[in-house]
Amino acid sequence: MTELVIFRAIQGLGAGGLIPLAMAVIGAIVPPRDRGRYQGLIGAVFGSASIIGPAVGGFIVDHTTWRWIFYVNLPVGALAFVVISLTMPRRAAQTDRSIDWGGAALLAACSTALLLGLVWGGRQYSWTSAHVLGALVVAVALFAVFLWFERRVPETILPFALLRNRIVVSSLVCMALVGMAMFGTISYVPLFVQGVIGKSATSSGVVLTPLMLGAVTASFISGQWVSRSGRVRPNAIAGPIALTAGMVLIWRMSIHTTNAQAARNMVLAGIGLGLMMQVFVLAVQNAVPRESIGSATALTQFSRSIGGTLGVTLMGVIVNQGLPHGVGGGLTLHQMSGPARATLAHALRPAFFAGLCVSALVLPIVLVGVRDVRLRRGFEDVTENIAGPAAAPPTKAE
């Protein structure tokens, strides 16, 4: 397990650079008004990859050995490397920039301590044990040190100056909440299908296909509509409504739920995710000056990643409180007896309810914090977008 954690951390270093880089490149070479269609495509690819992965993993585990879930990434990574080498724009001019290695280390250590405390609590140790309380105290202390350290570096890992903008802050909070709902759902609906409905690992992965189809279709249409209208607020309002409705249906699932009903619920949740997948990124990029697009885009991905990690962790904590002993054997889940299936369904319902509450929080934040500023047709900075509500209204050209 230690080796797995270390090697996955190395993978994360690479993925953490690639994901925001792709969106930042779009932000640097495409005007805001036209970004919707491109960001919509990126959102569709991201959603597809996030959901196809479990399905492919389930198929591999059922028909080969678990090692192939790692081997399969080698040709995919090689292809990505070739594509990046051939197509990524090259800049002749080089600018010396400082990297906040200390801030990155402190932030990673703080996040690790927090997650350890949440994972340990109620499962390996009681919530009042020295292990859990110590981890949470260390997390708070490291966060305080992180804030102190960031005031003394020339270029901080998190662009705190951008957090004074209401649109930026609101969009980041929404992305974190959407990430919590999305990755929590992706992680635990297959467990429900495999353990409660009684299907194989392959079937539990395939059940995410409806979510993928809904998310990809909605993301593509959403991107096209945003580019044509120049507005992000309607999608940002419709998205949490659809997602919350889907989460209500997922929360109501029981041992009598069929695969068709689970697929219907996933389609609705996927439509909600697809509508929001990129609108918050566009809102942030449109609200900051061009030279800050890279750091602002990285901040959005950091927010979604932290939200996703916390979502999976917190839902896991909730599930573990009521999980029957002996469950977790992966390949034997679909062979559980009726009482064990009912117990697992009972353990999963509070986790799905937590996802429902998280998704419901997005709508009021959008209504209060995400103003409907029309996307710019060019790269010029708009004072109204950057400065906030007190600034002058946009000009006719904007």
Side-chain angles (χ1 to χ4, degrees):
M1 181 59 69
T2 302
E3 293 179 2
L4 179 62
V5 170
I6 293 173
F7 300 152
R8 290 287 286 169
I10 297 173
Q11 279 187 300
L13 292 176
L18 288 174
I19 294 175
L21 177 62
M23 295 184 177
V25 168
I26 296 298
I29 64 178
V30 179
R33 183 64 175 266
D34 298 325
R35 284 178 201 154
R37 59 175 63 96
Y38 296 101
Q39 297 284 29
L41 291 173
I42 290 180
V45 171
F46 177 83
S48 301
S50 300
I51 299 163
I52 289 175
V56 174
F59 179 83
I60 290 174
V61 169
D62 277 347
H63 294 86
T64 60
T65 68
W66 62 266
R67 296 183 186 275
W68 277 100
I69 65 175
F70 300 109
Y71 292 152
V72 73
N73 291 293
L74 297 179
V76 176
L79 178 61
F81 182 81
V82 172
V83 171
I84 291 172
S85 301
L86 296 177
T87 63
M88 189 63 67
R90 292 173 173 81
R91 294 180 56 189
Q94 296 290 332
T95 304
D96 292 332
R97 306 296 295 267
S98 61
I99 299 178
D100 185 13
W101 296 110
L106 286 170
L107 187 60
C110 169
S111 302
T112 301
L114 173 62
L115 294 176
L116 282 175
L118 294 176
V119 170
W120 286 340
R123 190 64 175 178
Q124 292 178 258
Y125 308 100
S126 68
W127 286 102
T128 57
S129 67
H131 292 84
V132 174
L133 294 179
L136 297 178
V137 168
V138 169
V140 173
L142 287 174
F143 185 70
V145 174
F146 170 75
L147 295 178
W148 172 84
F149 182 83
E150 292 299 276
R151 300 181 63 181
R152 288 158 175 78
V153 295
E155 296 187 59
T156 60
I157 188 172
L158 296 181
F160 290 100
L162 301 180
L163 298 181
R164 301 189 184 99
N165 187 304
R166 186 175 68 182
I167 296 178
V168 173
V169 172
S170 300
S171 298
L172 293 177
V173 173
C174 289
M175 288 202 69
L177 294 175
V178 171
M180 292 178 70
M182 175 181 177
F183 289 103
T185 302
I186 291 174
S187 298
Y188 289 100
V189 167
L191 176 62
F192 182 94
V193 172
Q194 190 176 357
V196 177
I197 298 180
K199 301 297 181 181
S200 66
T202 301
S203 298
S204 67
V206 171
V207 78
L208 294 175
T209 301
L211 188 146
M212 175 196 68
L213 295 176
V216 169
T217 303
S219 180
F220 178 78
I221 296 175
S222 171
Q224 297 295 321
W225 190 90
V226 167
S227 288
R228 291 178 181 274
S229 66
R231 302 173 61 194
V232 298
R233 187 176 168 88
N235 289 37
I237 292 175
I241 294 175
L243 176 60
T244 303
M247 291 303 300
V248 169
L249 295 176
I250 291 174
W251 167 57
R252 291 174 59 86
M253 292 193 304
S254 66
I255 58 174
H256 304 294
T257 300
T258 64
N259 266 345
Q261 292 171 329
R264 175 203 61 194
N265 303 342
M266 297 297 283
V267 167
L268 186 54
I271 291 174
L273 290 171
L275 290 174
M276 295 184 290
M277 203 159 280
Q278 298 306 319
V279 293
F280 296 122
V281 177
L282 290 172
V284 169
Q285 290 182 342
N286 193 59
V288 302
R290 188 181 183 188
E291 61 270 15
S292 300
I293 283 180
S295 57
T297 304
L299 190 58
T300 62
Q301 301 312 300
F302 173 79
S303 177
R304 179 162 60 184
S305 298
I306 287 294
T309 303
L310 287 176
V312 173
T313 302
L314 291 175
M315 290 181 75
V317 170
I318 295 172
V319 171
N320 285 337
Q321 302 306 309
L323 200 63
H325 292 290
V327 172
L331 297 176
T332 61
L333 280 175
H334 64 282
Q335 301 173 352
M336 289 197 309
S337 62
R341 290 168 54 202
T343 304
L344 178 59
H346 180 75
L348 287 169
R349 286 200 71 184
F352 292 146
F353 181 76
L356 163 62
C357 294
V358 166
S359 61
L361 287 175
V362 177
L363 182 59
I365 296 174
V366 169
L367 294 175
V368 173
V370 181
R371 293 177 296 134
D372 201 8
V373 179
R374 293 182 67 84
L375 299 178
R376 311 192 299 267
R377 292 185 179 275
F379 285 107
E380 69 280 358
D381 292 333
V382 180
T383 304
E384 191 270 341
N385 285 3
I386 301 168
T395 65
K396 184 177 181 180
E398 297 159 5

